[in-house]
């Protein structure tokens, strides 16, 4: 049985989200009562959308990574921990012993929590279960216990569902995604921390009046405020910082190529997301009807990858601003202990900030400051976990590249929840018990908040 799950995890990782999710969406659509033709078309359309998003994000990564390397070399900072990125992290997680069990564990847990009313989110994003597997693998390596690793993975999944429920109304309203939530391991924890940050920003005189949405920026700056032109300008800035202008002919070619590529990212990404949304809408409508007929009075959300939100203008603009800022933070924080060179995962910053942007109501300045604070702190986390991350990678069969001795990741390595469970594991059994209680306790706390929201909404509807 263990060999079967190991093989299944590896197979799903090899297929990737663009293949796995369409299959799941088609099956899910049939369960909801959609005709095969409609369910199949929705699944394939979503797959096409994911491929388009990955192509655009891949373009961003291919262009930004060389500039990041060049910038680190120009500043002469010895950042010896390599950011191998989420693709490698996913392969490492699914290749671990926890990864072999994560899919049946997460599905069983999700079903139990749905039926007991402790979550409203049905997470169909099976491919992204690798985030929970990574947490479990790190904890397992520290505690030298497969079972504590499995417990940590389950705890992480429970917290993802709790945060997804908590942020769902905000996500649905801002992105226009009815009945959708984001139990995504990259986005959800940052979204949770953005809530107190936004409350802090609301209390700063002057700053709390600043309107920095894309619409306000475009109105004030005209063509220079358009997202496409912002991408072009940020590309020029990143290129100049990275490549300099010592060799005008060669460097200008690199800088201009980077600039037009980032302009293309700003232009194409929203269109790729719209393709994905075209496939998602029939599923969302069918799910709403299914729930209303069979569970009157109950609300359910479909848990998806936050990829459906990364094409929003504020998300893209914030992400591009954070690329050079993240590089400056890595260099500037090196004397204080940072050893991680952000590289591959610079292209995944849109996923990091997706829910944050919704909580900051599209305010690019707030989103950029909040993102910089959390990513800056996260660099120390990714440095801290790097030795164990490398140990797990090697044990999973990952081959270190030439000159690589220690690796980490900006996505899961810098994640706030990674720090939480890593610290709990370091504290031994008492720490893990505390983590277990807090993780599942979050479900009860969020349910209380959601029930209170429902009562307030009902009162408002009755009053109207």
């Amino acid at each position: 049985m263990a060999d079967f799950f190991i093989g299944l995890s590896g197979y799903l990782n090899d297929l990737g989200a663009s293949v796995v999710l369409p299959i799941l969406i088609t099956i899910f659509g049939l369960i909801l009562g959609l005709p095969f033709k409609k369910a199949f078309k929705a699944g394939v359309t979503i797959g096409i959308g994911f491929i388009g998003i990955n192509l655009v994000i891949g373009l961003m990564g291919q262009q930004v990574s060389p500039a990041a390397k060049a910038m680190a070399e120009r500043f002469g900072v010895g950042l010896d921990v390599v950011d191998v990125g989420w693709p490698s992290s996913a392969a490492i997680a699914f290749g671990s012993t926890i990864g072999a069990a994560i899919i049946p564990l997460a599905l069983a847990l999700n079903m139990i929590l749905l039926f007991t009313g402790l979550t409203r989110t049905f997470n169909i994003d099976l491919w992204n279960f690798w985030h929970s597997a990574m947490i479990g693998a790190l904890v397992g390596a520290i505690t030298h216990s497969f079972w504590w690793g499995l417990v940590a993975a389950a705890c992480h999944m429970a917290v993802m569902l709790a945060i997804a429920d908590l942020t769902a109304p905000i996500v649905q309203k801002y992105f226009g995604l009815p009945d959708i939530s984001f139990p995504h391991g990259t986005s959800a924890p940052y979204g949770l921390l953005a809530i107190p940050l936004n409350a802090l920003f609301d209390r700063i005189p002057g700053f709390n009046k600043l309107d920095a949405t894309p619409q306000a920026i475009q109105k004030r700056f005209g063509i220079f405020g358009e997202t496409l032109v912002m991408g072009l300008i940020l590309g020029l800035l990143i290129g100049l910082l990275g490549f300099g202008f010592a060799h005008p002919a060669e460097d200008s070619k690199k800088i201009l190529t980077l600039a037009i590529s980032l302009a293309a990212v700003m232009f194409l990404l929203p269109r790729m997301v719209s393709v994905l949304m075209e496939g998602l809408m029939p599923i969302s409508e069918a799910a709403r009807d299914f729930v209303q007929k069979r569970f009157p009075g109950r609300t359910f959300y479909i848990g998806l990858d936050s990829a459906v939100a990364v094409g929003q203008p504020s998300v893209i603009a914030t992400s591009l601003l954070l690329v050079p800022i993240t590089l400056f933070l890595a260099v500037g924080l090196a004397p204080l202990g940072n050893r991680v060179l952000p590289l591959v995962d610079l292209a995944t910053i849109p996923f990091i900030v997706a829910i944050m942007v919704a909580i900051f109501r599209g305010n690019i300045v707030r989103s950029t400051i909040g993102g910089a604070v959390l990513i800056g702190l996260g660099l120390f986390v990714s440095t801290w976990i790097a030795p164990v991350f490398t140990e797990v990678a090697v044990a999973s069969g990952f081959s270190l590249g030439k000159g690589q001795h220690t690796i980490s990741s900006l996505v899961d390595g810098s994640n706030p929840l990674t720090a939480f469970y890593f610290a709990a594991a370091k504290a031994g059994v008492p720490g893990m018990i505390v983590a277990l209680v807090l993780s599942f306790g979050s479900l009860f706390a969020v349910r209380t908040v959601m029930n209170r929201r429902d009562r307030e909404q009902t009162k408002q509807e009755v009053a109207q």
Side-chain angles (χ1 to χ4, degrees), residues 250-333:
E250 183 180 347
D251 292 335
S252 62
K253 179 181 177 182
K254 293 178 181 177
I255 293 168
L256 291 173
T257 300
L258 175 59
I260 198 67
S261 296
L262 293 191
V265 169
M266 296 288 277
F267 182 80
L268 293 173
L269 198 53
R271 285 154 177 77
M272 295 302 101
V273 172
S274 68
V275 173
L276 190 150
M277 290 305 301
E278 182 182 334
L280 181 63
M281 291 316 296
I283 300 295
S284 177
E285 291 169 4
R288 190 184 307 115
D289 294 340
F290 183 89
V291 169
Q292 288 175 352
K293 288 179 182 178
R294 290 163 179 80
F295 303 97
R298 288 194 64 181
T299 302
F300 287 95
Y301 307 137
I302 303 172
L304 291 179
D305 189 321
S306 55
V308 298
V310 298
Q312 203 274 343
S314 291
V315 175
I316 310 174
T318 299
S319 304
L320 292 182
L321 284 168
L322 281 171
V323 168
I325 290 173
T326 299
L327 292 170
F328 275 124
L329 285 170
V331 172
L333 295 175

Side-chain angles (χ1 to χ4, degrees), residues 56-338:
V56 177
I57 293 292
L59 171 66
M60 179 179 168
Q62 290 168 10
Q63 294 297 324
V64 168
S65 290
K69 279 185 177 180
M71 180 179 168
E73 290 172 0
R74 287 185 68 213
F75 282 90
V77 178
L79 300 175
D80 61 324
V81 177
V82 179
D83 164 28
V84 294
W86 72 264
S88 296
S89 299
I92 292 165
F94 274 132
S96 68
T97 54
I98 303 299
I102 193 63
I103 292 176
L105 171 70
L107 283 174
L109 178 62
N110 197 177
M111 291 299 101
I112 292 169
L113 295 176
L114 277 171
F115 285 120
T116 56
L118 286 174
T119 187
R120 299 181 179 186
T121 294
F122 176 40
N123 189 4
I124 63 172
D125 188 19
L126 270 67
W127 193 81
N128 270 309
F129 288 176
W130 73 263
H131 294 283
S132 297
M134 175 58 76
I135 294 294
L138 291 171
V139 169
I142 296 169
T143 60
H144 305 288
S145 168
F146 168 79
W147 297 109
W148 274 123
L150 211 59
V151 168
C155 288
H156 181 265
M157 181 59 68
V159 174
M160 289 302 96
L161 294 171
I163 299 175
D165 285 350
L166 182 67
T167 57
I170 300 170
V171 164
Q172 292 167 12
K173 181 179 180 181
Y174 182 76
F175 293 112
L177 299 170
D179 304 320
I180 300 299
S181 66
F182 293 151
H184 190 200
T186 301
S187 307
Y190 290 98
L192 181 65
L193 293 181
I195 294 173
L197 273 178
N198 194 50
L200 174 63
F201 292 155
D202 282 339
R203 285 165 174 76
I204 300 176
F207 187 77
N208 57 7
K209 302 294 184 183
L210 178 63
D211 185 359
T213 61
Q215 295 80 7
I217 291 173
Q218 185 173 346
K219 184 177 180 181
R220 175 170 293 185
F221 296 102
I223 188 173
F224 295 103
E226 292 186 11
T227 53
L228 184 150
V229 178
M230 287 175 63
L232 189 73
I233 294 170
L234 287 169
L236 291 171
L237 174 63
I238 295 169
L240 285 168
L241 291 171
F243 302 119
F245 217 70
H247 307 90
E250 183 180 347
D251 292 335
S252 62
K253 179 181 177 182
K254 293 178 181 177
I255 293 168
L256 291 173
T257 300
L258 175 59
I260 198 67
S261 296
L262 293 191
V265 169
M266 296 288 277
F267 182 80
L268 293 173
L269 198 53
R271 285 154 177 77
M272 295 302 101
V273 172
S274 68
V275 173
L276 190 150
M277 290 305 301
E278 182 182 334
L280 181 63
M281 291 316 296
I283 300 295
S284 177
E285 291 169 4
R288 190 184 307 115
D289 294 340
F290 183 89
V291 169
Q292 288 175 352
K293 288 179 182 178
R294 290 163 179 80
F295 303 97
R298 288 194 64 181
T299 302
F300 287 95
Y301 307 137
I302 303 172
L304 291 179
D305 189 321
S306 55
V308 298
V310 298
Q312 203 274 343
S314 291
V315 175
I316 310 174
T318 299
S319 304
L320 292 182
L321 284 168
L322 281 171
V323 168
I325 290 173
T326 299
L327 292 170
F328 275 124
L329 285 170
V331 172
L333 295 175
L336 298 178
N338 173 53

